[in-house]
Amino acid sequence: MVAGVPKLDRIDLRILAHLQKNGRATNVDLAEAVGLSPSPCLTRVKRLEKAGYIAGYGAHLNLQKLGDTVTIYTEVTLSDHRSADFQRFEASIRGMSEVVECHLVSGGYDYLLKFMTRSIPHYQERIEHMLALSIGIEKYFSYIVIKSVFVKHAYDLEVFFPAEG
C-alpha cells in the first residue's frame, strides 16, 4: 500500500468496478448499485478521484465504424542495454500516434509495442521511420492481428484486489 493513499474497502472496490463498466452512471444509479445513499457515494467517488484511483472518464470507440485499421504487435530488441539506450528509445516512440502501447518486458526481446495503423503499408512506413531515427533498434518482429476475439475494458477487481473490509 502506498503511503498517504487511503485503503479501499469492498464498497470502494464496487464503486470502481461499476464505474469502469459505466463511467456515465449517475451518482444516484451508482449509489443504488453499490448499496449506499447518494451523498456518501459521491463523497467516496470524489475521494477515489483525488487519491488517483480514477484516472479519468472516457468513451470506448468502435473504430470499425470509422474505417479499417490494422493492429500489429511488434517485438523490439535494442542493440545496447544501457539506461540511456532505453530512455532514448522510449522518448522517441512516445510521440508516435500509431504506437498505442509500449511495454518493457523480460525474455528474448526488450519491448512489446502495440501499433494501430490504417494499413500494412502504413505500419511499414512507421517502422522504417523508427529505424531511420537511429534509436538503437537491433531487430524487430511483427505480428499482425487477424481477429481480436475479445478485448476487455474492465477488470474483475475482486480477483486482483480482495477487499479487506
Side-chain angles (χ1 to χ4, degrees):
M1 186 58 62
V2 179
V5 177
K7 281 188 146 186
L8 301 182
D9 63 17
R10 61 181 172 64
I11 294 175
D12 292 326
L13 288 174
R14 278 195 221 141
I15 289 170
L16 293 173
H18 192 81
L19 285 176
Q20 73 175 345
K21 291 176 186 168
N22 184 5
R24 293 183 60 165
T26 66
N27 184 55
V28 171
D29 290 341
L30 178 61
E32 184 177 311
V34 300
L36 289 176
S37 59
S39 182
C41 183
L42 184 59
T43 300
R44 282 178 181 253
V45 169
K46 296 296 181 194
R47 180 176 50 81
L48 292 167
E49 289 172 345
K50 185 177 179 183
Y53 288 106
I54 299 171
Y57 298 91
H60 297 291
L61 303 181
N62 183 351
L63 291 181
Q64 292 176 337
K65 291 279 191 184
L66 296 171
D68 291 333
T69 60
V70 179
T71 302
I72 301 110
Y73 287 92
T74 305
E75 297 174 355
V76 174
T77 301
L78 300 184
S79 51
D80 294 304
H81 294 91
R82 296 178 304 261
S83 179
D85 300 315
F86 291 104
Q87 291 172 6
R88 181 179 71 219
F89 176 80
E90 291 171 15
S92 296
I93 66 162
R94 191 175 301 276
M96 292 183 65
S97 297
E98 296 86 353
V99 179
V100 296
E101 293 181 18
C102 174
H103 307 275
L104 179 62
V105 297
S106 64
Y109 54 95
D110 298 314
Y111 289 94
L112 179 62
L113 307 179
K114 179 180 178 183
F115 282 81
M116 291 288 293
T117 62
R118 294 185 303 272
S119 61
I120 301 300
H122 179 214
Y123 168 73
Q124 190 59 37
E125 287 172 19
R126 300 315 298 156
I127 284 292
E128 290 172 4
H129 171 75
M130 287 173 61
L131 294 172
L133 291 174
S134 297
I135 54 175
I137 298 174
E138 178 180 315
K139 62 184 176 180
Y140 70 93
F141 293 96
S142 306
Y143 302 91
I144 298 166
V145 174
I146 303 301
K147 172 184 170 185
S148 293
V149 178
F150 65 85
V151 176
K152 293 182 179 181
H153 295 287
Y155 308 105
D156 188 346
L157 298 180
E158 292 180 3
V159 169
F160 301 115
F161 311 104
E164 296 180 16

